[in-house]
PDB file of all heavy atoms in Angstrom:
ATOM      1  N   ALA A  31      -7.251  -4.351 -58.030  1.00  0.00           N
ATOM      2  CA  ALA A  31      -5.983  -5.063 -57.902  1.00  0.00           C
ATOM      3  C   ALA A  31      -4.892  -4.510 -58.809  1.00  0.00           C
ATOM      4  O   ALA A  31      -3.789  -5.045 -58.830  1.00  0.00           O
ATOM      5  CB  ALA A  31      -6.204  -6.545 -58.214  1.00  0.00           C
ATOM      6  N   ASP A  33      -2.737  -2.168 -58.845  1.00  0.00           N
ATOM      7  CA  ASP A  33      -1.439  -1.752 -58.328  1.00  0.00           C
ATOM      8  C   ASP A  33      -0.747  -2.838 -57.506  1.00  0.00           C
ATOM      9  O   ASP A  33       0.330  -2.604 -56.956  1.00  0.00           O
ATOM     10  CB  ASP A  33      -1.604  -0.495 -57.463  1.00  0.00           C
ATOM     11  CG  ASP A  33      -2.029   0.716 -58.279  1.00  0.00           C
ATOM     12  OD1 ASP A  33      -1.641   0.775 -59.466  1.00  0.00           O
ATOM     13  OD2 ASP A  33      -2.742   1.568 -57.741  1.00  0.00           O
ATOM     14  N   LEU A  34      -1.353  -3.999 -57.418  1.00  0.00           N
ATOM     15  CA  LEU A  34      -0.781  -5.074 -56.607  1.00  0.00           C
ATOM     16  C   LEU A  34       0.217  -5.899 -57.407  1.00  0.00           C
ATOM     17  O   LEU A  34       0.158  -5.946 -58.640  1.00  0.00           O
ATOM     18  CB  LEU A  34      -1.897  -5.964 -56.058  1.00  0.00           C
ATOM     19  CG  LEU A  34      -2.768  -5.274 -54.996  1.00  0.00           C
ATOM     20  CD1 LEU A  34      -4.031  -6.063 -54.725  1.00  0.00           C
ATOM     21  CD2 LEU A  34      -1.977  -5.091 -53.703  1.00  0.00           C
ATOM     22  N   PRO A  35       1.171  -6.569 -56.748  1.00  0.00           N
ATOM     23  CA  PRO A  35       2.291  -7.195 -57.458  1.00  0.00           C
ATOM     24  C   PRO A  35       1.908  -8.316 -58.415  1.00  0.00           C
ATOM     25  O   PRO A  35       2.627  -8.559 -59.392  1.00  0.00           O
ATOM     26  CB  PRO A  35       3.189  -7.724 -56.329  1.00  0.00           C
ATOM     27  CG  PRO A  35       2.358  -7.712 -55.111  1.00  0.00           C
ATOM     28  CD  PRO A  35       1.360  -6.629 -55.285  1.00  0.00           C
ATOM     29  N   LEU A  36       0.801  -9.009 -58.187  1.00  0.00           N
ATOM     30  CA  LEU A  36       0.419 -10.110 -59.078  1.00  0.00           C
ATOM     31  C   LEU A  36      -0.698  -9.713 -60.044  1.00  0.00           C
ATOM     32  O   LEU A  36      -1.312 -10.586 -60.671  1.00  0.00           O
ATOM     33  CB  LEU A  36       0.007 -11.337 -58.258  1.00  0.00           C
ATOM     34  CG  LEU A  36       1.109 -11.959 -57.402  1.00  0.00           C
ATOM     35  CD1 LEU A  36       0.600 -13.215 -56.705  1.00  0.00           C
ATOM     36  CD2 LEU A  36       2.343 -12.298 -58.245  1.00  0.00           C
ATOM     37  N   ALA A  37      -0.946  -8.420 -60.164  1.00  0.00           N
ATOM     38  CA  ALA A  37      -1.947  -7.957 -61.127  1.00  0.00           C
ATOM     39  C   ALA A  37      -1.569  -8.416 -62.539  1.00  0.00           C
ATOM     40  O   ALA A  37      -0.404  -8.349 -62.932  1.00  0.00           O
ATOM     41  CB  ALA A  37      -2.051  -6.437 -61.087  1.00  0.00           C
ATOM     42  N   PHE A  39      -1.842 -11.539 -63.660  1.00  0.00           N
ATOM     43  CA  PHE A  39      -1.680 -12.987 -63.684  1.00  0.00           C
ATOM     44  C   PHE A  39      -3.023 -13.670 -63.452  1.00  0.00           C
ATOM     45  O   PHE A  39      -3.803 -13.238 -62.600  1.00  0.00           O
ATOM     46  CB  PHE A  39      -0.696 -13.451 -62.600  1.00  0.00           C
ATOM     47  CG  PHE A  39       0.728 -13.047 -62.858  1.00  0.00           C
ATOM     48  CD1 PHE A  39       1.265 -11.922 -62.249  1.00  0.00           C
ATOM     49  CD2 PHE A  39       1.531 -13.791 -63.708  1.00  0.00           C
ATOM     50  CE1 PHE A  39       2.571 -11.545 -62.479  1.00  0.00           C
ATOM     51  CE2 PHE A  39       2.850 -13.421 -63.946  1.00  0.00           C
ATOM     52  CZ  PHE A  39       3.368 -12.294 -63.338  1.00  0.00           C
ATOM     53  N   LEU A  60      -2.899 -10.715 -53.439  1.00  0.00           N
ATOM     54  CA  LEU A  60      -1.782  -9.951 -53.996  1.00  0.00           C
ATOM     55  C   LEU A  60      -2.035  -9.517 -55.437  1.00  0.00           C
ATOM     56  O   LEU A  60      -1.130  -9.051 -56.108  1.00  0.00           O
ATOM     57  CB  LEU A  60      -0.500 -10.775 -53.905  1.00  0.00           C
ATOM     58  CG  LEU A  60      -0.017 -11.024 -52.468  1.00  0.00           C
ATOM     59  CD1 LEU A  60       1.127 -12.019 -52.447  1.00  0.00           C
ATOM     60  CD2 LEU A  60       0.401  -9.717 -51.802  1.00  0.00           C
ATOM     61  N   GLY A  61      -3.285  -9.677 -55.897  1.00  0.00           N
ATOM     62  CA  GLY A  61      -3.671  -9.095 -57.175  1.00  0.00           C
ATOM     63  C   GLY A  61      -3.980 -10.052 -58.291  1.00  0.00           C
ATOM     64  O   GLY A  61      -4.476  -9.640 -59.345  1.00  0.00           O
ATOM     65  N   VAL A 384       2.981  -5.203 -49.506  1.00  0.00           N
ATOM     66  CA  VAL A 384       3.909  -4.894 -50.592  1.00  0.00           C
ATOM     67  C   VAL A 384       3.595  -3.489 -51.094  1.00  0.00           C
ATOM     68  O   VAL A 384       2.526  -3.255 -51.670  1.00  0.00           O
ATOM     69  CB  VAL A 384       3.794  -5.908 -51.750  1.00  0.00           C
ATOM     70  CG1 VAL A 384       4.807  -5.567 -52.844  1.00  0.00           C
ATOM     71  CG2 VAL A 384       4.025  -7.329 -51.242  1.00  0.00           C
ATOM     72  N   ALA A 387       0.000  -0.058 -51.935  1.00  0.00           N
ATOM     73  CA  ALA A 387      -1.325  -0.464 -52.399  1.00  0.00           C
ATOM     74  C   ALA A 387      -2.005  -1.342 -51.357  1.00  0.00           C
ATOM     75  O   ALA A 387      -1.407  -2.287 -50.845  1.00  0.00           O
ATOM     76  CB  ALA A 387      -1.217  -1.228 -53.719  1.00  0.00           C
TER      77      ALA A 387
END
Side-chain angles (χ1 to χ4, degrees):
D33 293 329
L34 291 167
L36 296 183
F39 291 98
L60 293 171
V384 181

